[in-house]
Amino acid sequence: MTSTHTNSHTEAAKMEQVITEFFYKSLLIILESRSSYVSSRNYSGEQTVSSPSSSSSSSSSVRPRDKWFNLALRECPSALENLDLCRRSNFEPVVVDVILEQKPLDWGPASFSPTSDLVRNLSSKNKNSYFWNSDQQDESGSEMKCEKIIERWFVQNESRKGRDCNSGNRRSSCNNLSALYKKLILMLRSLYVTVRLLPAYNIFRDLNSSGLICSFKLVPRVSSFVEPLTRKEEVDMQRFWFTPVDTSCGRLCLSVLYHSSISDMSSESSTPMSPQFIPDYVGSPLADPLRRFPSLPVSHGSPSSLPFSRRHSWSYDHYKASPPLVSFSPSPTHSESNALVSNPSSLGLPPMSLPPHPPETSLAHKRNTNFDEYCPSPNFSASPSPSPSPSLPIYIPWTHLSKALLRSESAPVNIAAPKLANTPALSGKQNLPPCPPLKITRAGTSRTDNIRVPAETDATIEKIFSFGKEDCWKYSGVKAFSNSSPRISCSRSSSRSLQDDFDYSEFPCPFDVEDGEMMDPGSRKSQDAAVGALVRLLKKAPPLRQNVSLNFSEASRPEILSNSIPKQSQILEAVTVEYAAAPNIASFRLVASKTTTDALEELRGYKVMKNLLLSEGGKAYTSNVASAAEHSSTSKDRSIL
Amino acid sequence: MNCEVCQLKELEVEHFEIREVLRCILHTIVFHRALGLVRPKDVDLELFEITYVQCGDVELEKKIDEKIDHFISWVEKHPNKKSQICLSFYEVKSKQPSWFTNKTERLYWEQWYVNLNVTQHPKHHSSKSHHTKLIVDPGESATEERSCRRAMVEASLREVLFQIIKFVNEKKDHVPPISEGVIYFPYEITIPRKFQ
């Protein structure tokens, strides 16, 4: 008798424990598929290991509570265990409301990570409501959020009145217990599959997996008593019943009310934040205009020594012997495509491609942006000086520069880029590291290898060069003419001599005549030859105005540059210009900075000279002819006489 | 013990959808019959917005994939035909040992029939790939039709999964007791003779 009583008591206790664990397990299954911090979805690290019951897996990987109903799930937060407080007995139901909260888009990141603290809200003596909440919500105020119950789960043990729970013999109760346990296992398996088939799971999965900043979140709320849903709320919901499992004292019931069409609601709210331009991103000149990029070339160095390589639209592939002096580093730091905003896909956000570079606006910092899609600001830097470190950089707003370059007062003449070379002083040690290639695509820009030298002295800086894909240029310095209009001289660091600077062999001089063609000065050909010789002489003549160039280099200041360029303070990109102190360099600069206008003027001068010579020669010829005629006539007269 | 039979709703699928659909259905059934200690593994379908559950057993996954490959080969040989795949659970009972026989017999206690109607010729399908998404007509109407059809297949698949859940919930008594150390009941996957 006593043993029977003990056994039945034991069986009842076991039954009680089984039912309690069933409540716990079912709640865990529901919550872990509706709360990201409880989820087992990311619990895949151990899933590659064989089944927990296999011999190879360590028993320590399976917690004691995992073994209940043979379903090993992720460790639940401690708060879940506090749910026992809301249930005084196994006959009290548990209701789980899955709430879709929608908030404005100005949620901070913290609001999406609700704390695991359990907030107890006792509203009535019959209502014990525990719900997950976050501090951000409390601070912002509940009136800001829009809540909608998209699921309501009921877990309850319906009592069977008028029946003695402890009755029955030992064998039948034992069988009952094992049968009950098996049936509960099956029910929980079904529950596990069902929670993943309901529409709310898609929202949960998207929230967990994607990095989208969503305006909504799922908040499960556990309580033992809730207000019944309104008729309007219930109309849109469907119910799914799990077949109840009979226990010795009642039956365990599990059901769910769910919205079948919440995907529209979530898809509308899951749009990413609208792209915004961030003017002061890290690395932006606006944030730190005087910051020197590590890619600034130094007098020594190799491409590999650069701290980071950036692709530029101009490479020096064509001029490998002479790495350029000017390097252009776009403002965004790296050219590798990182799906920062992406997708999520994925999580991430779809990579957003920037629109073509808007000169008037600030650039958004997009690490995944290809350089093809915008025009970065060039970082003008040059180190023709023998000093090991470049001098103070000068920053020219790229936008101003580009606009200025496009303005021309006179048609520029293309000067072959490779022909513009450095002074001898720039050779050897001054070989600057080549700038990494940078791809820049500008609408309407054709690929050329030429440098367009600014035409007019008082004009704003014309388009110095048109960017090709593979060219990389460095500027050797800035020079201003007497009317204070600055020019940016282009040079290439090479070992070429000054004579190579203006190799006009590609531009045949109309007066250029072979040496052997110097003939009778009286003849027309000889006149041309003389002019050609004069031209060659002028070519080889030493440069003039050396002192002036020095003054100009001193006078060339950033303010001159900035004066010549329309001030647009929104965008200021780094343009580093260095000044050469050496007279040779200055003179080279003088020579190099000869404009096409100067060349034209020279040509005109030569033409005038030619005409003069011709006219003089003609006169001389005429006089000679006349004199010859006279002479002949005289001789004839003489003969006649 | 009775053998409970469940005829699942027929699904109209294209060839490239067979693998995913069968994996989803078969693993869902087996998960309901894997009553040993399991750590479930969630798997998202690529073609549909459905997440199904696996037991997490590698061997089981391999065997199911092999059977699916075998089924796909059969379908390729018999194109545009209704096909069926049967998942059976049985108990191993040893016969009365006699002088001549010492065989064991299988007592089937549950059979699931998955009915598929494969609508497309399998010539574009690679047996190993389940990523192919054929676009025959790139027109806008064709795309809409395709997405509509895909939604219908997804809804049908969801119905089939709920059908499995309901069946499992309604019929529990025929399930044998759980053996110690056994994760899932012995099973076999076959193609019924009348379809061969």
Side-chain angles (χ1 to χ4, degrees), chain A residues 32 40-41 43 46-54 61-63 66-67 69-73 181-194 196-199 201-202 205-206 240-245 258, chain B residues 24 28 30-45 48-58 154 157-158 161-162 164-166 168-178 181-183 185:
Chain A
E32 65 102 32
S40 295
R41 261 193 84 87
Y43 194 38
E46 298 182 30
Q47 285 180 353
T48 53
V49 182
S50 54
S51 167
S53 63
S54 66
S61 64
V62 181
R63 289 171 292 274
D66 287 346
K67 292 184 181 176
F69 307 103
N70 291 335
L71 199 59
L73 300 176
Y181 192 71
K182 180 188 75 180
K183 289 177 183 178
L184 292 178
I185 290 174
L186 291 169
M187 185 188 248
L188 290 172
R189 293 283 196 275
S190 302
L191 176 63
Y192 193 91
V193 172
T194 304
R196 279 149 181 79
L197 291 178
L198 296 179
Y201 184 75
N202 290 338
R205 185 185 59 189
D206 292 341
F240 183 80
W241 289 94
F242 292 84
T243 304
V245 174
Y258 66 96
Chain B
C24 176
T28 301
V30 173
F31 177 72
H32 281 99
R33 295 295 178 246
L35 304 188
L37 181 58
V38 296
R39 181 168 288 131
K41 177 181 161 187
D42 299 341
V43 179
D44 300 326
L45 289 180
F48 309 104
E49 288 289 316
I50 291 175
T51 300
Y52 71 95
V53 185
Q54 292 184 7
C55 299
D57 188 84
V58 178
E154 182 179 318
L157 180 57
R158 213 178 281 274
L161 296 176
F162 272 106
I164 295 170
I165 293 167
K166 282 177 187 171
V168 166
N169 272 268
E170 286 166 4
K171 299 177 189 298
K172 296 188 182 85
D173 294 327
H174 67 287
V175 179
I178 307 163
V182 176
I183 301 172
F185 293 108

Side-chain angles (χ1 to χ4, degrees), chain B residues 22 55 71-72 78 109 133 148 174 192-193:
Chain B
L22 279 182
C55 299
F71 177 79
I72 289 171
H78 304 85
W109 51 271
K133 295 184 183 182
C148 181
H174 67 287
R193 222 170 250 285

Side-chain angles (χ1 to χ4, degrees), chain A residues 42-329:
Chain A
N42 300 329
Y43 194 38
S44 58
E46 298 182 30
Q47 285 180 353
T48 53
V49 182
S50 54
S51 167
S53 63
S54 66
S55 57
S56 59
S57 64
S58 61
S59 57
S60 61
S61 64
V62 181
R63 289 171 292 274
R65 212 155 192 185
D66 287 346
K67 292 184 181 176
W68 277 99
F69 307 103
N70 291 335
L71 199 59
L73 300 176
R74 191 174 184 147
E75 185 179 347
C76 63
S78 59
L80 190 59
E81 296 170 353
N82 294 332
L83 288 170
D84 294 335
L85 294 172
C86 76
R87 293 174 54 245
R88 283 166 291 182
S89 73
N90 277 339
F91 291 101
E92 275 207 35
V94 174
V95 183
V96 182
D97 282 339
V98 179
I99 298 163
L100 188 68
E101 282 186 6
Q102 197 165 4
K103 272 192 177 181
L105 281 174
D106 56 353
W107 268 3
S111 66
F112 291 99
S113 56
T115 63
S116 59
D117 295 332
L118 190 63
V119 178
R120 186 173 174 174
N121 184 12
L122 296 171
S123 57
S124 68
K125 64 174 183 178
N126 288 330
K127 191 193 288 188
N128 293 328
S129 174
Y130 293 84
F131 57 92
W132 302 102
N133 211 332
S134 74
D135 296 335
Q136 290 292 103
Q137 291 179 9
D138 291 331
E139 288 167 10
S140 63
S142 59
E143 65 275 6
M144 295 284 292
K145 39 184 186 171
C146 172
E147 296 183 350
K148 188 175 180 66
I149 298 173
I150 57 172
E151 280 182 0
R152 177 167 277 181
W153 295 85
F154 297 91
V155 186
Q156 59 187 36
N157 185 18
E158 293 178 351
S159 64
R160 200 174 304 166
K161 292 178 182 179
R163 192 172 177 174
D164 186 4
C165 296
N166 294 328
S167 65
N169 58 29
R170 179 185 171 185
R171 181 171 285 183
S172 61
S173 60
C174 185
N175 288 341
N176 287 341
L177 196 58
S178 62
L180 170 70
Y181 192 71
K182 180 188 75 180
K183 289 177 183 178
L184 292 178
I185 290 174
L186 291 169
M187 185 188 248
L188 290 172
R189 293 283 196 275
S190 302
L191 176 63
Y192 193 91
V193 172
T194 304
V195 294
R196 279 149 181 79
L197 291 178
L198 296 179
Y201 184 75
N202 290 338
I203 301 173
F204 160 78
R205 185 185 59 189
D206 292 341
L207 285 174
N208 268 5
S209 58
S210 77
L212 289 172
I213 301 172
C214 299
S215 62
F216 60 91
K217 63 176 181 176
L218 285 180
V219 177
R221 189 179 299 167
V222 184
S223 57
S224 61
F225 180 80
V226 289
E227 294 283 337
L229 295 170
T230 62
R231 191 162 183 169
K232 184 185 174 184
E233 285 173 328
E234 223 170 301
V235 158
D236 297 330
M237 298 180 95
Q238 299 180 14
R239 187 177 280 270
F240 183 80
W241 289 94
F242 292 84
T243 304
V245 174
D246 291 327
T247 65
S248 56
C249 302
R251 61 178 199 167
L252 288 166
C253 301
L254 189 56
S255 64
V256 59
L257 267 174
Y258 66 96
H259 263 286
S260 55
S261 58
I262 55 175
S263 56
D264 295 336
M265 192 191 310
S266 62
S267 63
E268 285 169 9
S269 307
S270 66
T271 52
M273 288 177 72
S274 57
Q276 295 175 2
F277 287 118
I278 304 169
D280 55 350
Y281 56 85
V282 173
S284 159
L286 286 176
D288 189 1
L290 295 182
R291 175 185 159 194
R292 284 174 52 188
F293 289 100
S295 65
L296 280 176
V298 293
S299 56
H300 310 285
S302 62
S304 59
S305 67
L306 288 173
F308 61 93
S309 64
R310 292 179 178 176
R311 292 187 295 134
H312 297 267
S313 66
W314 322 275
S315 71
Y316 60 102
D317 291 344
H318 295 280
Y319 321 108
K320 281 183 181 176
S322 57
L325 289 177
V326 178
S327 66
F328 297 99
S329 328

Side-chain angles (χ1 to χ4, degrees), chain B residues 10-82:
Chain B
E10 185 178 277
L11 287 170
E12 202 167 293
V13 297
E14 291 189 39
H15 199 277
F16 67 93
E17 293 168 336
I18 294 175
R19 186 177 297 278
E20 281 228 314
V21 165
L22 279 182
R23 268 189 187 154
C24 176
I25 293 173
L26 294 175
H27 276 287
T28 301
I29 295 170
V30 173
F31 177 72
H32 281 99
R33 295 295 178 246
L35 304 188
L37 181 58
V38 296
R39 181 168 288 131
K41 177 181 161 187
D42 299 341
V43 179
D44 300 326
L45 289 180
E46 293 179 13
L47 299 176
F48 309 104
E49 288 289 316
I50 291 175
T51 300
Y52 71 95
V53 185
Q54 292 184 7
C55 299
D57 188 84
V58 178
E59 281 299 316
L60 175 70
E61 197 176 339
K62 207 183 287 183
K63 283 182 187 173
I64 288 178
D65 282 344
E66 279 174 13
K67 291 296 180 182
I68 292 173
D69 288 337
H70 175 67
F71 177 79
I72 289 171
S73 307
W74 182 89
V75 168
E76 284 172 356
K77 290 173 189 171
H78 304 85
N80 297 324
K81 263 191 167 182
K82 290 192 178 182

Side-chain angles (χ1 to χ4, degrees), chain A residues 478-523:
Chain A
V478 175
K479 178 189 172 312
F481 283 89
S482 56
N483 57 356
S484 301
S485 104
R487 292 204 183 94
I488 295 176
S489 59
C490 307
S491 65
R492 285 186 170 277
S493 62
S494 72
S495 55
R496 292 181 189 161
S497 63
L498 185 60
Q499 282 73 7
D500 295 330
D501 294 347
F502 294 96
D503 183 3
Y504 286 130
S505 60
E506 290 192 1
F507 302 90
C509 174
F511 311 111
D512 198 4
V513 181
E514 296 289 336
D515 288 340
E517 291 178 4
M518 293 292 285
M519 301 180 78
D520 186 3
S523 70

Side-chain angles (χ1 to χ4, degrees), chain A residues 478 480 484-486 552 554-565:
Chain A
V478 175
S484 301
S485 104
F552 286 156
E554 286 174 15
S556 301
R557 300 282 185 217
E559 48 270 27
I560 295 171
L561 288 172
S562 59
N563 285 338
S564 68
I565 300 161

Side-chain angles (χ1 to χ4, degrees), chain B residues 86-152:
Chain B
C86 179
L87 170 59
S88 309
F89 294 96
Y90 59 88
E91 275 187 295
V92 178
K93 293 282 186 186
S94 57
K95 275 185 175 177
Q96 283 286 339
S98 66
W99 288 106
F100 304 102
T101 57
N102 195 14
K103 285 184 180 176
T104 56
E105 70 172 327
R106 293 180 174 182
L107 287 178
Y108 294 91
W109 51 271
E110 192 173 81
Q111 286 180 324
W112 299 80
Y113 288 93
V114 184
N115 297 292
L116 296 178
N117 186 9
V118 183
T119 54
Q120 195 167 354
H121 196 269
K123 66 177 176 180
H124 299 291
H125 174 71
S126 163
S127 62
K128 292 294 178 185
S129 165
H130 56 276
H131 295 281
T132 53
K133 295 184 183 182
L134 299 173
I135 300 174
V136 177
D137 184 2
E140 193 174 318
S141 60
T143 310
E144 282 178 12
E145 191 184 328
R146 185 168 294 279
S147 61
C148 181
R149 193 209 141 268
R150 182 72 54 85
M152 283 174 57

